[in-house]
Amino acid sequence: MDEIERNKRYNSYVEAKIAKTHAWPSLFNAFWVGGLICTLGQVFNDLILYIFPNVSTQSAWAYTLIILIFLASFLTGIGVFDKIGAFAGAGTIVPITGFSNSITSPAIEFKNEGIIFGMCAKMFIIAGPVIVSGTVASMIVGLIYLIF
Amino acid sequence: MKKEEKQTIFFNNKPYIIGYYSIVGPKEGKGTLGEYFSEVSDDDFFGQKTYEKAERTMLEKALKGAVDNAGVSYDDIKLFLSGDLLNQIISSSYAARTINIPYVGVFGACSTMAESLALGSCLVDGGHFETVACATSSHFSTAERQFRFPLELGNQRPPTAQWTVTGSGADIISSKGKGPRIISATFGKVVDFGISDVNNMGAAMAPAACDTLLTLFKDTKTKPEDYDLILSGDLGKLGSEILIDLMEYHGVKLGLNYKDCGQIIFKRNQNVLMGGSGCGCSATVLNSIIMKKLISGEYKKVIFMATGALLSTLSCQQGDTVPGIAHAIVIEGDNNE
């Protein structure tokens, strides 16, 4: 048996051997935690508009985002967010909280290597690709909008 | 004359393991083997500022403990063989900086304990050194940082992932003294069956473990039943099941005397998925319960085979598959004469 054939057979054997994860419990947790975060966001948004009637809707959105980013970042700092994330998966990653966590966690992790080459340089190792693909996607959308 | 059979070296003078020591972090201390470790720290920083410094402190403590356990002094140790998982094996080299002993750094990923013991035994048996020290360490937080994601990142671990053991083990091998004896060493080949999932180390290392184990049985003309214990390093739950399947495929049946360090070190409820991994996993299991049972005479003959995945973050990012390796030594209990 040649090597490629052997490796192929071994890989499919291993694939079959791995215990399958159950999608439904993961999905359930992701949805309710994600939903809760979004509801929380809406609550903040409504509260801001209620307390400060002069604030425009646009600014209220921005303030809401800032609050959520701060909360996620704070929970990361005190070592709680990773536990919520491990439980809820995409539920915490998809809202802006995941983005906040992805910046804060490497910043904490690499501060021992110095401010510049440690913290500042490594801060975007997780979020970097997200920013790049976001920018590229918006460029493509912008081009399509321009043409049609 | 020394008999050499392919990959296995038989030691005429059967070097003694005269001293051993294991030190682990808090999570390992709460595991199944908590009471057997020589030292359990309740602080995974080990009083240091960074995890890297913590790991080397742990290694220094393990070496000191083993030296004390052997009842010798640093002056009696003629060579220090050590390795770890961090880039440029800094834990070992920096630990060696604090002692005034010639040092040889070795790297075999998680197989380092067996590798250093095998090399150490060769050097002692050959009469080149009277007493050598062999050690290794791994730390969950340094390994996680180097190979995976930041600690505080809220991600989920895939079900095949393992948990790097925070721990260090050290042994003092000597041609004179008392203790369990190393009777043979089997050096393994690098085996790659094309697993590219870096979160499935067990599956990547199992073929190498199978290769080394088959060679060991062939070279020593023994069967699994001849041993009280066949101990693999850190294949984990999936990896050891694969090893059993592979061995059976080659006509060798591993029975109840086969155990995996990664599987026994943690309790089921400790959320470690497939089990423990890392250099410290096999090193601390060997230098706790196994050594105690070898000394008490409960175990007469044990195969200690540590497995390693020889990858780097670079190689896996470039799409390379994960090569595995396994080195094995056979240890005879104390009261076997």
Side-chain angles (χ1 to χ4, degrees), chain A residues 1 3 6-11 13-14 17-19 21 26 75-90 92-93 98 101-103 105-106 108-113 125-126, chain B residues 45 49-52 141 144-146 148-160 191-197 200 202-207 237-238 241-243 245-246 249 271 274 321:
Chain A
M1 186 172 23
E3 215 164 276
R6 180 199 71 184
N7 291 0
K8 227 166 149 184
R9 276 184 52 183
Y10 182 67
N11 266 285
Y13 154 78
V14 169
K17 188 108 187 153
I18 296 171
T21 45
S26 311
L75 290 175
T76 305
I78 59 170
V80 174
F81 195 90
D82 59 323
K83 292 180 182 71
I84 306 172
F87 171 76
T92 54
I93 294 171
N101 169 249
S102 74
I103 304 253
S105 57
I108 298 170
E109 185 93 5
F110 292 99
K111 71 172 192 299
N112 287 330
E113 277 78 59
I125 50 166
I126 314 276
Chain B
F45 271 109
K49 277 211 171 96
T50 71
Y51 287 122
E52 282 74 14
S141 302
E144 203 62 16
R145 197 164 132 75
Q146 181 174 303
R148 292 171 202 106
F149 292 116
L151 291 172
E152 298 300 334
L153 187 71
N155 59 336
Q156 287 177 322
R157 303 166 75 85
T160 52
V191 179
D192 191 336
F193 270 28
I195 294 286
S196 52
D197 181 2
N200 195 354
M205 299 187 294
K237 187 170 172 288
L238 180 68
E241 279 170 14
I242 294 174
L243 176 65
D245 282 0
L246 287 175
Y249 177 79
N271 201 14
M274 289 290 119
T321 53

Side-chain angles (χ1 to χ4, degrees), chain B:
Chain B
M1 277 310 286
K2 205 146 296 198
K3 236 177 25 183
E4 252 179 68
E5 219 158 311
K6 287 181 188 152
Q7 283 165 253
T8 305
I9 295 165
F10 295 90
F11 300 124
N12 288 344
N13 305 317
K14 299 182 186 173
Y16 297 92
I17 302 176
I18 58 168
Y20 69 95
Y21 200 81
S22 53
I23 174 167
V24 294
K27 188 179 174 105
E28 291 70 22
K30 290 190 191 90
T32 13
L33 304 176
E35 54 185 303
Y36 293 100
F37 298 121
S38 317
E39 187 179 340
V40 177
S41 170
D42 50 11
D43 165 28
D44 65 349
F45 271 109
F46 292 84
Q48 299 293 323
K49 277 211 171 96
T50 71
Y51 287 122
E52 282 74 14
K53 287 189 170 67
E55 183 173 339
R56 74 183 73 130
T57 306
M58 197 165 69
L59 188 55
E60 286 161 16
K61 280 187 168 189
L63 180 63
K64 174 82 174 57
V67 169
D68 290 346
N69 183 258
V72 294
S73 73
Y74 278 122
D75 293 337
D76 299 317
I77 314 287
K78 302 299 177 209
L79 189 71
F80 175 46
L81 293 141
S82 180
D84 57 89
L85 288 178
L86 298 188
N87 290 341
Q88 287 78 39
I89 52 170
I90 49 168
S91 304
S92 299
S93 305
Y94 279 70
R97 183 175 69 169
T98 62
I99 50 169
N100 197 20
I101 300 172
Y103 158 72
V104 175
V106 290
F107 181 78
C110 309
S111 73
T112 307
M113 194 71 242
E115 185 186 18
S116 62
L117 282 171
L119 287 171
S121 306
C122 290
L123 293 170
V124 170
D125 186 59
H128 305 292
F129 295 93
E130 191 181 293
T131 309
V132 301
C134 306
T136 187
S137 72
S138 62
H139 195 298
F140 171 76
S141 302
T142 58
E144 203 62 16
R145 197 164 132 75
Q146 181 174 303
F147 292 103
R148 292 171 202 106
F149 292 116
L151 291 172
E152 298 300 334
L153 187 71
N155 59 336
Q156 287 177 322
R157 303 166 75 85
T160 52
Q162 289 171 257
W163 188 278
T164 308
V165 166
T166 300
S168 173
D171 290 282
I172 309 294
I173 306 177
S174 180
S175 53
K176 290 198 189 94
K178 210 177 158 306
R181 307 179 81 168
I182 299 171
I183 59 171
S184 72
T186 309
F187 290 100
K189 294 182 212 155
V190 177
V191 179
D192 191 336
F193 270 28
I195 294 286
S196 52
D197 181 2
V198 292
N199 282 307
N200 195 354
M201 298 288 193
M205 299 187 294
C210 173
D211 188 80
T212 301
L213 209 50
L214 286 172
T215 311
L216 187 149
F217 288 138
K218 209 169 112 200
D219 288 355
T220 58
K221 300 189 180 64
T222 52
K223 300 182 296 296
E225 303 85 78
D226 298 334
Y227 298 90
D228 295 306
L229 182 70
I230 299 164
L231 191 71
S232 61
D234 58 351
L235 291 174
K237 187 170 172 288
L238 180 68
S240 43
E241 279 170 14
I242 294 174
L243 176 65
I244 292 171
D245 282 0
L246 287 175
M247 293 296 285
E248 202 168 301
Y249 177 79
H250 287 99
V252 180
K253 202 163 159 40
L254 290 178
L256 286 174
N257 59 346
Y258 167 67
K259 294 254 176 351
D260 181 68
C261 298
Q263 245 187 314
I264 58 176
I265 189 164
F266 289 114
K267 285 181 184 154
R268 263 162 190 269
N269 60 2
Q270 282 185 299
N271 201 14
V272 290
L273 303 161
M274 289 290 119
S277 69
C279 304
C281 182
S282 56
T284 55
V285 173
L286 173 73
N287 289 309
S288 55
I289 183 165
I290 309 300
M291 286 303 274
K292 286 196 169 105
K293 290 194 172 181
L294 277 165
I295 290 169
S296 74
E298 193 178 333
Y299 289 150
K300 299 208 160 41
K301 212 171 173 195
V302 169
I303 297 178
F304 173 67
M305 174 180 65
T307 46
L310 301 172
L311 79 164
S312 84
T313 44
L314 202 79
S315 71
C316 62
Q317 278 169 351
Q318 293 184 354
D320 271 321
T321 53
V322 182
I325 194 159
H327 301 295
I329 54 170
V330 178
I331 312 174
E332 246 178 26
D334 216 2
N335 311 319
N336 213 27
E337 328 269 289

